[in-house]
Amino acid sequence: MADPYGFLKHPRKDAKKRPAAERLDDWHEVYARVDPEVRDREVRTQATRCMDCGIPFCHSGSAGCPLGNLIPEWNDLVRRGDWALASDRLHATNNFPEFTGKLCPAPCEAACVLAISHDAGGAVTIKRVEETIADVSWEQGLVQPWQSHVSSGKRVAVVGSGPAGLAAAQQLTRAGHEVTVYERDDRLGGLLRYGIPEFKMEKKVLDRRLAQLRREGTKFVTGCEVGVDLTVEQLREQFDAVVLAVGALRGRDDTTTPGRELKGIHLAMEHLVPANRACEGDGPSAIDAAGKHVVIIGGGDTGADCYGTASRQGAASVLQLDQYPQPPSQRDDARSPWPVWPWILRTYPAHEEAGERKFAVAVEKFIGDDEGHVRQIQLRKVRVEKDASGRRQVVPTSEEVEVLPADLVLLAIGFEGVEHMPLLDGLGIKLTTRGTISCGSDWQTQAPGVFVCGDAHRGASLVVWAIAEGRSVANAVDRFLTGSSDLPSPVIPN
Ligand code: SF4
């Protein structure tokens, strides 16, 4: 049984990071590799902090884990050192715990009861426990292909090989369907491959999981744009159901700030994709920050990815701008609102390495040189508020402006939904006003037999939501093809 006083005996201890200077010298993951024995001992102690709450807010609900991860259960198994059963219980709800363990901002930790009070010492290190279970699972050979013993004789096409598409494909293959995943890029993984930097998750982590899917029988086709290289007619003829997991990669642009047309101003993905390709050995990045004064506009995950990437490329300086004020830390926020934990997590490891952040500021002008290349930005202090109709407004709060150097500006201000693609036209699917693909309660789009999941349905979101939607759409497709399904369905369409 869990020790209800464990959190009083053991302070929260996060995983050890490598020294910042060492991290900047390579592209390897930020977190240090520690002796497995030491790691396992520390994580077992951390798992002891879990109180096995009567109502575990971490586990599900509006604030907790969308996958319904059995967090108190595997915390207890880890505490007892039963890694094999912990692995089994973790994989029961999550196809790819190594992805979430490394990439998810952990809404479960925000929802943990121990995040309420300063005296409790902070949430249970759920993410660290999850990642360690995943690591031990691979180290001990506990992750094996699951061979389906049934064959439905039905064929399913999954379009897109990001986390949502891969989760849907794995579930459907295991349910006995013949699944082919189509990827328009030359390599599999979607955002996991070309969006997420190597220092957050090394690509070999993705590749070993893809190998498992292959051995289970999922087929993959790369370099194929469905709707072009494989026509909609062929798609319809060859498959009984189609899952759209095409992501929401249309980057939001800045259409109003004077000087946006200058050279040297790019959307974040225009920086991240070639940088990731360079790590894959595809040659130097087309947009390289070496020796440049880099300004990143936008304070979220993607901005932090650009920040760490620019620092590793050898930028002369890196500055990240956020229109919102600096979030309080748990220690200095006297009101102690719950949850306060995610606000702390808005500081990413990349911010400890180099560079600077400015809060409550906005660029009001990009300033170029005679060649039409950006060289400076003009900033003003602002606050964000809502007008009478509830629309977001950015209001200047100072007469003073600040002019700073900027040779490379990266816009990390969000995504506007699904990219335009012939496939959607061919299927007769129209996007919502949010730029996403809508569906009914059975995840089916306007096109019969065509389903949607992940960012394409939800809008740009967390990897954990992508996996949860991929698992849920698999249940819906299985039901569509066979009349019933035993596959889990952790979430419903929004
Ligand atoms: Fe454990 Fe926190 Fe979940 Fe409670 S809310 S069961 S303490 S992880």
Side-chain angles (χ1 to χ4, degrees), residues 9-82:
K9 296 176 192 159
H10 308 290
R12 176 182 166 108
K13 194 170 173 194
D14 289 293
K16 192 170 171 232
K17 298 180 199 118
R18 295 190 291 135
E22 181 186 317
R23 277 145 50 187
L24 288 175
D25 255 0
D26 61 45
W27 292 89
H28 296 308
E29 287 181 11
V30 162
Y31 289 92
R33 295 200 198 293
V34 288
D35 180 302
E37 258 185 54
V38 175
R39 176 201 63 190
D40 297 356
R41 198 168 51 241
E42 276 189 11
V43 170
R44 286 182 65 180
T45 303
Q46 288 300 302
T48 304
R49 297 185 69 242
C50 175
M51 299 184 293
D52 191 11
C53 301
I55 300 176
F57 294 109
C58 58
H59 152 73
S60 64
S62 57
C65 179
L67 284 164
N69 273 347
L70 305 165
I71 293 165
E73 193 175 327
W74 38 257
N75 273 337
D76 191 50
L77 290 164
V78 168
R79 179 184 68 82
R80 292 194 267 131
D82 192 341

Side-chain angles (χ1 to χ4, degrees), residues 53-235:
C53 301
I55 300 176
F57 294 109
C58 58
H59 152 73
S60 64
S62 57
C65 179
L67 284 164
N69 273 347
L70 305 165
I71 293 165
E73 193 175 327
W74 38 257
N75 273 337
D76 191 50
L77 290 164
V78 168
R79 179 184 68 82
R80 292 194 267 131
D82 192 341
W83 294 98
L85 197 48
S87 173
D88 182 69
R89 303 312 290 145
L90 178 54
H91 282 93
T93 59
N94 188 351
N95 298 66
F96 314 125
E98 65 276 29
F99 301 169
T100 45
K102 290 178 189 296
L103 303 175
C104 183
C108 53
E109 292 193 14
C112 174
V113 172
L114 293 182
I116 297 175
S117 161
H118 298 177
D119 297 334
V124 175
T125 52
I126 301 169
K127 188 169 138 88
R128 186 180 178 195
V129 175
E130 179 182 45
E131 185 181 0
T132 306
I133 298 171
D135 286 347
V136 172
S137 302
W138 285 97
E139 288 161 14
Q140 296 189 359
L142 301 171
V143 182
Q144 294 295 332
W146 294 14
Q147 299 298 346
S148 174
H149 298 297
V150 292
S151 173
S152 69
K154 304 288 185 186
R155 306 185 74 204
V156 183
V158 175
V159 186
S161 67
L166 293 179
Q170 186 166 55
Q171 293 294 93
L172 287 164
T173 301
R174 289 175 174 181
H177 306 297
E178 193 181 316
V179 180
T180 305
V181 178
Y182 288 94
E183 170 57 58
R184 70 180 174 181
D185 274 326
D186 54 344
R187 295 185 181 94
L188 297 168
L191 270 183
L192 297 171
R193 175 78 58 187
Y194 290 136
I196 303 291
E198 188 86 354
F199 57 83
K200 282 174 76 175
M201 189 178 87
E202 293 176 6
K203 303 301 178 251
K204 63 185 179 192
V205 173
L206 170 61
D207 289 333
R208 72 183 176 189
R209 189 55 88 167
L210 288 169
Q212 183 203 29
L213 268 75
R214 278 197 184 92
R215 287 203 296 274
E216 290 175 352
T218 303
K219 297 190 177 110
F220 293 97
V221 180
T222 54
C224 177
E225 182 167 1
V226 180
V228 178
D229 305 309
L230 179 78
T231 66
V232 169
E233 291 70 33
Q234 290 169 321
L235 183 73

Side-chain angles (χ1 to χ4, degrees), residues 2 24 72 125 192 228 271 321 345-346 361 376 445:
L24 288 175
T125 52
L192 297 171
V228 178
H271 177 229
L321 308 177
L345 286 183
R346 291 186 72 195
V361 292
Q376 291 175 313
T445 66

Side-chain angles (χ1 to χ4, degrees), residues 353-374:
E353 295 163 353
E356 187 192 352
R357 300 173 83 185
K358 282 182 182 285
F359 295 90
V361 292
V363 177
E364 59 179 21
K365 184 158 61 166
F366 298 109
I367 302 165
D369 60 17
D370 293 342
E371 270 93 52
H373 197 289
V374 66

